[in-house]
Amino acid sequence: MSSGLVILWQFRHPVPESRERLALRLIGVSFFALAAYVIVESVRNLFSSGEPAPSPVGIALAMLSLVVMPVLSWAQRRTGRALNSGSVVADSKQTLLCTYLSAVLLVGLLLNALLGWSWADPVAGLVIAAVAIREGVEAWRGDDCGETVTHATGASSAGADGTNRES
């Protein structure tokens, strides 16, 4: 939600491109905050003495998220590319990361409900946190799907060798 608010802030400006770099950095910070939260909760859940109870409602919500979130992420990415906005594409990555979190949640809930493996969800959460940190670093740097977004215009360019360079 925080990255969505950043996009809203950016595009309420008469020249949203002027806020692109700061928007990318703020989205990067939101990735780092998400990673920190997932790490703390995963470690807490790994070392807590209580066993989580199976949750049919949680399973149903996680399954619904797995259907809705990828479609939303795809639409955001498509819009971001059409607008040549790295911040909108970065927001789509955060939505996709939420899809991964939903998948991890679903697997963890199912493994706990079916096999009693209460540790599976927090361990997978730590992997997702590592992905969030990587995405945060890319957003902070202005990297966007292998493209480097410039500070002022949001444009990108690739060198003759196929590597991306700021223009």
Side-chain angles (χ1 to χ4, degrees), residues 12-96:
R12 289 190 50 85
H13 191 274
V15 185
E17 297 82 13
S18 66
R19 292 182 168 179
E20 182 79 17
R21 183 70 178 151
L22 180 56
L24 278 167
R25 292 230 164 152
L26 291 171
I27 290 170
V29 169
S30 71
F31 272 114
F32 297 141
L34 178 62
Y37 172 77
V38 171
I39 289 168
V40 167
E41 285 300 306
S42 293
V43 169
R44 188 179 66 79
N45 288 331
L46 273 173
F47 296 107
S48 70
S49 59
E51 293 290 319
S55 173
V57 172
I59 291 169
L61 287 173
M63 290 172 79
L64 181 62
S65 271
L66 285 176
V67 172
V68 173
M69 298 300 260
V71 174
L72 179 59
S73 176
W74 173 81
Q76 288 173 311
R77 185 166 303 214
R78 190 171 140 209
T79 301
R81 287 183 176 152
L83 294 172
N84 198 24
S85 173
S87 59
V88 175
V89 172
D91 185 47
S92 78
K93 288 181 177 184
Q94 189 138 95
T95 301
L96 191 60

